[in-house]
Amino acid sequence: MERGGGSSAAGPSPSPSRSPSPSPSPSPSEDRECCAGLWELPVERCERRPECGRCSRPQKVCLCPFLPIHPLKVSTCLYIIQHPAEESRVLRTVPLLAACLPPDKCKILIGRRFSEDRYPELATVCRNPSTLILYPGAEATNLEEVTLGSSSPPIMIIIDGTWSQAKDIFYKNSLFRLPKQVQLKTNISSQYVIRTQPTNTCLSTLECAAVALTIMEKNKSIQETILRPLQALCSFQLQHGAQIHHSKEHLLKNGLYDKPMPKNKRKLRRMELLVNNVKI
């Protein structure tokens, strides 16, 4: 048998296969005809669960039984500067704090930038000698060491947000550097265990307010009263599937941090400081 291009005993070689030609795309008019029925389908509306008017929680998981029957009587007025992202969080603590206090003693301002023109009342508050702003740092004085004047009721400004959000608000609003800067000298661990904190001693906004009011009002029962709804909130969430969130400091020290280490040198340095118990 010759090698090469002779005929095969099986007959002639089949002709090369041709790829099928693409089907023509439908015209715009055909598209409209195909989708015509879709526009007539009913749209299911997503309705929010009814909320309690006092604690702002869904009515089925209302926390009002854990709130004080009557708002606490305090002389200190709190101004909560809330980052817009906190307003939409489901498990936020500020509504619980506000529910524990009279409306005129807990005022909430939402935003990132606060100019004197847009917020004249806040500007007046920041210039008041009786006003303090709670923000830790090298220039902050321990609140326990501050002597409060008796001429006018004290005012405390607290920033509500993540640490990076609070830092952005504090340093990019010149008004917030007018009041005396204070910090809490406390070793208590946060009870807000359903949200991750940077360190073991970082507190939620509600917890900061509870500790600050206890010091300023010289009344230890205030802290217990304000923390009660937070404890109930965390207990309910844990009973229904939530997990305890250890602080980033705890996870790093115990080799439990399972996220990729940051490549950014500044962020990496912050993590090293957390492990070595250095204040940041």
Side-chain angles (χ1 to χ4, degrees):
M1 181 181 290
E2 295 184 2
R3 295 183 183 180
S7 62
S8 167
S13 301
S15 58
S17 59
R18 296 181 181 178
S19 57
S21 57
S23 56
S25 57
S27 64
S29 60
E30 290 175 329
D31 273 342
R32 284 193 293 272
E33 289 176 5
C34 293
C35 297
L38 295 177
W39 312 124
E40 299 174 3
L41 292 175
V43 178
E44 184 178 349
R45 295 184 178 181
C46 181
E47 295 183 1
R48 295 189 64 176
R49 291 179 292 176
E51 289 186 350
C52 170
R54 187 181 181 197
C55 68
S56 299
R57 293 280 296 158
Q59 289 178 357
K60 289 186 178 180
V61 288
C62 173
L63 293 175
C64 286
F66 303 94
L67 295 173
I69 298 175
H70 302 291
L72 296 173
K73 293 182 179 180
V74 294
S75 60
T76 305
C77 180
L78 297 181
Y79 275 80
I80 307 298
I81 307 300
Q82 188 177 74
H83 189 279
E86 288 295 313
E87 189 182 10
S88 59
R89 287 188 183 273
V90 177
L91 301 176
R92 58 196 189 276
T93 64
V94 168
L96 299 178
L97 171 63
C100 293
L101 301 171
D104 63 327
K105 296 299 182 182
C106 186
K107 302 181 180 182
I108 303 169
L109 300 177
I110 302 170
R112 293 185 180 88
R113 300 293 175 261
F114 297 86
S115 64
E116 188 166 355
D117 294 337
R118 292 186 60 189
Y119 297 89
E121 179 187 344
L122 180 62
T124 302
V125 166
C126 289
R127 288 191 168 85
N128 188 329
S130 301
T131 300
L132 306 173
I133 184 164
L134 187 63
Y135 189 84
E139 299 179 0
T141 304
N142 293 332
L143 179 59
E144 296 87 343
E145 301 168 7
V146 173
T147 302
L148 301 176
S150 56
S151 57
S152 58
I155 301 171
M156 172 69 79
I157 298 174
I158 302 177
I159 302 174
D160 179 43
T162 64
W163 285 97
S164 59
Q165 291 166 352
K167 182 178 180 180
D168 178 76
I169 290 175
F170 180 75
Y171 284 106
K172 292 187 178 179
N173 290 281
S174 57
L175 282 178
F176 298 143
R177 289 191 294 283
L178 296 177
K180 185 177 183 63
Q181 185 180 342
V182 296
Q183 62 188 3
L184 299 176
K185 185 182 178 182
T186 177
N187 292 321
I188 66 171
S189 296
S190 175
Q191 297 185 44
Y192 193 25
V193 294
I194 54 176
R195 189 168 172 181
T196 304
Q197 304 287 1
T199 71
N200 296 332
T201 55
C202 287
L203 304 178
S204 66
T205 302
L206 178 142
E207 291 171 307
C208 287
V211 175
L213 285 173
T214 296
I215 296 170
M216 298 172 78
E217 299 289 323
K218 296 180 174 61
N219 185 346
K220 291 184 179 180
S221 67
I222 290 178
Q223 183 173 333
E224 180 184 346
T225 301
I226 293 180
L227 290 183
R228 195 176 297 127
L230 176 66
Q231 294 163 349
L233 169 65
C234 293
S235 176
F236 177 84
Q237 294 299 128
L238 292 173
Q239 289 172 17
H240 290 78
Q243 299 294 319
I244 292 178
H245 288 225
H246 294 290
S247 70
K248 190 179 290 185
E249 175 189 11
H250 174 90
L251 297 175
L252 287 168
K253 284 184 175 180
N254 291 277
L256 301 173
Y257 192 75
D258 58 358
K259 295 182 180 179
M261 297 300 284
K263 296 180 180 179
N264 182 289
K265 290 184 178 179
R266 181 177 59 83
K267 291 183 179 180
L268 193 60
R269 175 60 178 161
R270 287 175 65 85
M271 285 195 167
E272 291 173 356
L273 294 175
L274 282 177
V275 175
N276 295 320
N277 273 339
V278 178
K279 246 185 182 179
I280 54 175

